[in-house]
Every structure is written in C-alpha cells, then in structure tokens.
Amino acid sequence: MTEFKYCYGPVGSWRLGVSLGIDPISRPEKICDFNCVYCQLGDCAPVHPERAVYVQPQALGAELSALKAPADYLTFSGRGEPTLAANLKELLLECGRLRPEKTALITNASMMCSEKIREDLTAFDFVIAKLDAPNNELFRKINRPGPRICFDEIIKGLVPFSKGRRNRLAIQTMLIDRNKAYTRDFAALYTMISPDEVQLNTPLRPCSEKPLSRNEMASACLIIGAELERLGKGGIKVINVYGEKAPEVSPVSAPDTLKRRGKT
Ligand code: SF4
C-alpha cells in the first residue's frame, strides 16, 4: 500500500515525540466548527457541531496494518476537528487491536460540554485541548467558531473532564499579538481547569498571523509559571514551542503529511 488516506506521518512533534497521525475525518475539505485566524488548513466557514461517521474502522485498520513505522503516539488530528467523528471510540478500538502505541487526541474542545464526548475522550492516553482566548470576545475573534459554540460552555466541559480523568490532559494555547497580553487571565483559567501540562505555541508555519519571538514566548512561560505557583498550581508543567526539540523523522508519505500538518 503506497497511498494512505487515513494515516499520515509519522512526524516529529515537539510535544508528542514521534507521532503517527490518524485522521478520523479524512475529507479533502476542512471539517471544523472553528475557523481560527491562524489555521493552516485554509479559511473556510465553520461547520455545525454535529457528529457523523467519516471513516470505517476496517478501512483504518487496513492502513494501520500496512504501515510498519513505529511511533510514540498514534495521534488523532488531521483535516478538521476529530471529535466530529461519531465513531471515534470504534476507531480507537481498532488502533488498540492492531498497534501497541499510546494514543493521543488533539481537539479544539468545542464539544467537551457533551458528556458523551467527554466519555469518548477518557479512552485516549493523552488529550490535548485548545484554549486560545481568556474570554468570549477574544474567542470569537481568534477562533471564529460557529454561532452555536459558546466560550463558557467550553470551560464548563473542560473542568469536569479534567476532574474526572485518569488520562493525561494538556491545554494548548496559540499565542499571537491579539492574546499575548492576557497571560495572567490564562493562568487563572489553567488553574480552574487544572491540566497536567500547558503547551504554549505560536504560529511558526506560514499563515497570516505573525509568530511571537523566542523572547516573548519565554517571558509568557515565566509569567504563567509564576502565576500558577502563586495560585497554588505550581505542579502544572508549562512548555513552549521554542523550548522543546522535535525528533527528526521521515514520513511514510510526505504529500499526505504536509496537507494535514495543521495541528500535529
Ligand atoms: S486550527 Fe484547528 S481548530 Fe482551528 S480552524 Fe483549524 S482545524 Fe479547526
């Protein structure tokens, strides 16, 4: 098998090591209920937050069996929001049946207010959830979600997920000019959610948003770390994209990897 439709990479990820991507949506167009200003997958209207089946577990299984490349994580991400796949749990079971690696899922957290989705996510070893804004106004400007998605509901979903979890949770924040002044507000939200880790990113791949400098990111890291300490949450690890090294890896299929590297 030389063409891979549902798997991509593996890629060297600064937060997951060697990551073999699984795309549970795998459509040519982006299927996401956000349209973030920095999105690598292009600018298109957010879809309604309704789940559907896009990929059959057997079809994913056939690719996973053909792909011999080892990885640290099988990472659910790709061309859109992976929790929009209604059969996420079945796809994950298929991964577990065929491969020994740990599993991760990268989500925009838009639907974590749903108990069913939170339950699906408990089956992953590592969940990385997006939080790019400290309030609804900035949320609408940066993530540009569909009208049915509400900032408060996202926080209301993240807090109980974190409280009840047995798996690892990271909150990832894309820092850009528009939200960089809000480090203390972010720290207050991280305190409320209480993840294992905070991952501070900035758009280093080509897009219309300017990335923050190494110094700006280091300073954001320091302020957030100190604020978490002050708030009694000094145990939350804070990392940033400039401070971590991604392993060098040769992808099995370079074009497939490149067209999906918006999120991994
Ligand atoms: S960056 Fe992720 S969450 Fe934002 S629009 Fe693109 S795919 Fe969706």
Side-chain angles (χ1 to χ4, degrees):
M1 187 180 284
T2 50
E3 285 270 312
F4 294 100
K5 276 179 156 166
Y6 316 117
C7 303
Y8 60 99
V11 295
S13 160
W14 61 279
R15 47 206 176 159
L16 290 163
V18 180
S19 162
L20 179 65
I22 310 283
D23 186 347
I25 307 281
S26 292
R27 294 281 290 261
E29 71 280 21
K30 172 169 96 176
I31 306 278
C32 187
D33 47 3
F34 283 9
N35 184 24
C36 303
V37 287
Y38 56 79
C39 185
Q40 298 281 306
L41 302 177
D43 181 7
C44 66
V47 302
H48 287 294
E50 275 158 13
R51 303 182 95 187
V53 170
Y54 295 96
V55 175
Q56 292 304 326
Q58 302 86 325
L60 172 63
E63 282 197 8
L64 278 175
S65 305
L67 249 170
K68 303 293 177 212
D72 296 312
Y73 277 96
L74 303 184
T75 306
F76 281 59
S77 179
R79 291 189 61 80
E81 169 48 35
T83 60
L84 287 169
N87 61 344
L88 207 52
K89 225 170 173 172
E90 289 75 21
L91 296 171
L92 184 67
L93 281 173
E94 188 69 3
C95 290
R97 198 174 68 75
L98 296 164
R99 304 275 303 217
E101 288 95 341
K102 287 188 281 185
T103 54
L105 179 135
I106 302 178
T107 176
N108 65 16
S110 61
M111 297 198 291
M112 284 181 73
C113 51
S114 149
E115 207 174 329
K116 166 77 182 93
I117 287 175
R118 292 201 297 271
E119 193 202 309
D120 281 3
L121 297 189
T122 56
F124 288 82
D125 296 299
F126 192 10
V127 173
I128 300 176
K130 181 188 292 299
L131 185 65
D132 291 337
N135 55 50
N136 189 48
E137 198 189 332
L138 264 186
F139 170 59
R140 306 217 87 79
K141 284 186 180 153
I142 295 173
N143 299 115
R144 300 186 300 185
R148 281 167 59 183
I149 309 216
C150 166
F151 177 77
D152 289 345
E153 291 298 307
I154 290 180
I155 303 296
K156 278 189 201 155
L158 282 166
V159 171
F161 177 75
S162 180
K163 236 179 216 153
R165 77 185 191 276
R166 281 202 231 121
N167 50 2
R168 219 168 136 221
L169 172 67
I171 299 295
Q172 63 159 338
T173 297
M174 189 68 93
L175 288 176
I176 52 177
D177 275 338
R178 269 183 254 206
N179 61 2
K180 70 180 180 189
Y182 294 85
T183 40
R184 288 190 173 79
D185 304 73
F186 277 119
L189 287 170
Y190 302 147
T191 298
M192 197 192 296
I193 298 163
S194 199
D196 299 287
E197 185 171 289
V198 168
Q199 303 172 341
L200 300 178
N201 204 352
T202 197
L204 295 178
R205 299 188 201 126
C207 72
S208 55
E209 292 294 316
K210 188 169 72 65
L212 301 195
S213 68
R214 193 175 276 274
N215 283 347
E216 285 176 302
M217 291 296 281
S219 147
C221 243
L222 279 177
I223 296 170
I224 288 170
E227 195 63 7
L228 287 173
E229 189 79 48
R230 191 183 72 76
L231 295 167
K233 289 286 178 183
I236 300 175
K237 188 175 171 195
V238 184
I239 60 171
N240 88 82
V241 65
Y242 290 117
E244 305 296 309
K245 207 167 164 3
E248 278 185 29
V249 187
S250 301
V252 172
S253 164
D256 280 0
T257 298
L258 285 175
K259 81 180 180 203
R260 281 153 158 147
R261 279 230 63 189
K263 289 169 71 183
T264 324

